[in-house]
Amino acid sequence: MGTLALIIGAVLVLPSFVFVDSPERAAREYLDALVEGDVEVLTAHSESLRGATGATLAGPIYQAAQDRVTSYRINAVEASDTAATVQVTLDAGPEQKQTELSLTAHSAGPFAPVDWRVDPVPLTSALVTYPLGTLEILVNGFALPIADLTPQIDDMGQPTVSIALLPGTYEIAMPDAGEYLDPIAATVTAPAQLTIGGPRLGETGYGLSELGHQYVIDEIVRELEECLSTHADPLGGCEVQYPVEELPLDEGTAVLENDGDTDALESDEVPEIARGLADDLLPPGAEVEARVATVPQLVVFPAPYGTYEAYGFDGELEVITEPGLSGEAPEVTKVPFGVIASVVPHTPGEPPQVMLADPSTGLVYDVCIEAETGRASAAVREPGTDEAC
């Protein structure tokens, strides 16, 4: 009995370091989860999302990310009684990253086992902008309903969602919207340093497909031809722009040529668009006929609410003047011109709305909401007219 009491007493007075856990073991548990894509372990050691949705912290989405951590090497461990730092080299995509993990020792008392835990690791958040009316976005090919992502409207009226990301590179894109639009993907990288979080920006949406470009230019020409053939003062009353002011185009802007091929503008090829017809082009009192002789080239820029501004340049009108008060003979004149139009996508798969713009008055965008579905879309109208919805 005395021997048993001595053994029990010895156990009771053993110091807690006999039961001390290893900070390296805790670090390896986290790093193994990073390599294996164990989202449950990783999110348990992540900082608060701070307003970003965790819908993207799912195994299939993370495992489909590029540039993930594929292996690691522990270089050094520095520890005190209550805190530790583990220096690590991570193999992530084409690069190696030097980083560190901070750990804290936890214990319920002097005789309780010590439990080393990785301190909360910062999460990267991506602020994703998308077109008005979008119902879902694709993250690494997996569809996430916008309604599940806490959507917000930023100061510019642009819809946004904030999504949380584990280390890796993600593709964020829009779903297919038919033959007139091409989804534009954004690539967002959450760094693998494990000490760097914070926001990134992912701007995604749609661009006009080649068919969409062609539809827009055909609509512009159709509207112009109709106006030129019916208006009493076609050169003054139709939305054609003369002679010349520089367009706000950047190097590399896509332009659809008349033959249907798509090229990019070089820095020295920024086109100019005409604004204002020379007073001496027409004799006083002359009657004028005009038609489109050369279809303008078209470039398209994103505009508010998922709409676009289309600029046509290097077009040519054929202007026929009948004898006027000064008795001149009929004359055919080629006049360079450009156009500005607003383009609004409608229901996916349907042609967009195209509306020629008068630069002196501009256009107004209305946000329309369908009562039955709640789907929002944009419509464009001239100032002073009734709402387009």
Side-chain angles (χ1 to χ4, degrees):
M1 178 67 181
T3 303
L4 179 60
L6 288 174
I7 294 174
I8 293 173
V11 171
L12 289 176
V13 297
L14 282 175
S16 63
F17 64 75
V18 173
F19 302 99
V20 167
D21 187 17
S22 162
E24 181 172 336
R25 182 213 57 80
R28 286 189 182 279
E29 180 183 87
Y30 179 86
L31 294 168
D32 287 343
L34 201 60
V35 172
E36 295 164 6
D38 189 334
V39 171
E40 184 175 352
V41 171
L42 296 175
T43 53
H45 292 87
S46 296
E47 285 186 350
S48 169
L49 298 180
R50 298 180 182 178
T53 178
T56 44
L57 303 179
I61 291 177
Y62 179 53
Q63 290 170 7
Q66 301 296 312
D67 301 330
R68 282 180 44 210
V69 175
T70 56
S71 63
Y72 66 87
R73 181 175 68 256
I74 291 180
N75 303 317
V77 179
E78 299 176 4
S80 65
D81 289 341
T82 58
T85 300
V86 178
Q87 305 289 337
V88 182
T89 299
L90 302 177
D91 291 312
E95 298 180 310
Q96 287 191 329
K97 305 288 186 181
Q98 306 295 323
T99 188
E100 64 181 32
L101 286 172
S102 298
L103 300 92
T104 302
H106 297 262
S107 177
F111 300 106
V114 172
D115 179 23
W116 283 97
R117 302 176 194 169
V118 174
D119 292 343
V121 176
L123 279 173
T124 297
S125 61
L127 187 64
V128 180
T129 62
Y130 57 90
L132 189 71
T134 299
L135 299 182
E136 63 183 17
I137 62 172
L138 305 179
V139 180
N140 287 346
F142 293 88
L144 299 176
I146 290 293
D148 296 343
L149 303 180
T150 317
Q152 304 287 331
I153 301 294
D154 66 14
D155 294 339
M156 302 298 292
Q158 183 76 21
T160 65
V161 292
S162 182
I163 59 176
L165 302 175
L166 292 163
T169 298
Y170 298 77
E171 183 184 85
I172 304 170
M174 297 289 101
D176 180 73
E179 58 187 354
Y180 296 99
L181 299 174
D182 284 336
I184 298 173
T187 300
V188 177
T189 297
Q193 275 87 337
L194 307 181
T195 56
I196 302 174
R200 300 290 188 272
L201 183 63
E203 295 180 297
T204 185
Y206 295 98
L208 291 177
S209 66
E210 285 200 22
L211 182 63
H213 274 86
Q214 194 58 54
Y215 179 84
V216 170
I217 194 64
D218 289 346
E219 280 295 287
I220 289 173
V221 171
R222 184 191 63 77
E223 287 193 32
L224 273 180
E225 291 281 17
E226 183 177 344
C227 184
L228 293 171
S229 65
T230 58
H231 206 283
D233 180 13
L235 297 183
C238 300
E239 272 72 18
V240 288
Q241 324 300 332
Y242 322 89
V244 176
E245 180 177 309
E246 188 175 289
L247 268 177
L249 300 181
D250 297 324
E251 180 179 356
T253 299
V255 54
L256 189 74
E257 303 291 351
N258 281 337
D259 59 6
D261 292 334
T262 301
D263 290 325
L265 299 175
E266 301 294 338
S267 58
D268 59 350
E269 295 177 339
V270 176
E272 296 177 330
I273 190 167
R275 300 175 183 270
L277 191 60
D279 294 336
D280 58 356
L281 176 64
L282 304 176
E287 294 183 1
V288 178
E289 293 181 9
R291 67 178 186 84
V292 177
T294 302
V295 174
Q297 308 298 322
L298 185 69
V299 292
V300 180
F301 293 94
Y305 309 117
T307 63
Y308 308 91
E309 296 293 336
Y311 293 84
F313 59 93
D314 284 351
E316 232 180 15
L317 291 178
E318 190 173 73
V319 181
I320 304 171
T321 58
E322 297 296 334
L325 299 179
S326 55
E328 289 85 353
E331 184 177 355
V332 177
T333 305
K334 294 290 183 69
V335 180
F337 81 100
V339 291
I340 303 172
S342 285
V343 181
V344 181
H346 282 311
T347 304
E350 292 185 4
Q353 174 192 9
V354 181
M355 189 172 187
L356 288 174
D358 181 346
S360 64
T361 60
L363 295 169
V364 176
Y365 295 97
D366 292 330
V367 177
C368 308
I369 300 177
E370 297 176 7
E372 293 182 357
T373 65
R375 188 185 186 108
S377 60
V380 65
R381 62 183 170 92
E382 295 178 356
T385 61
D386 293 337
E387 288 191 7
C389 299

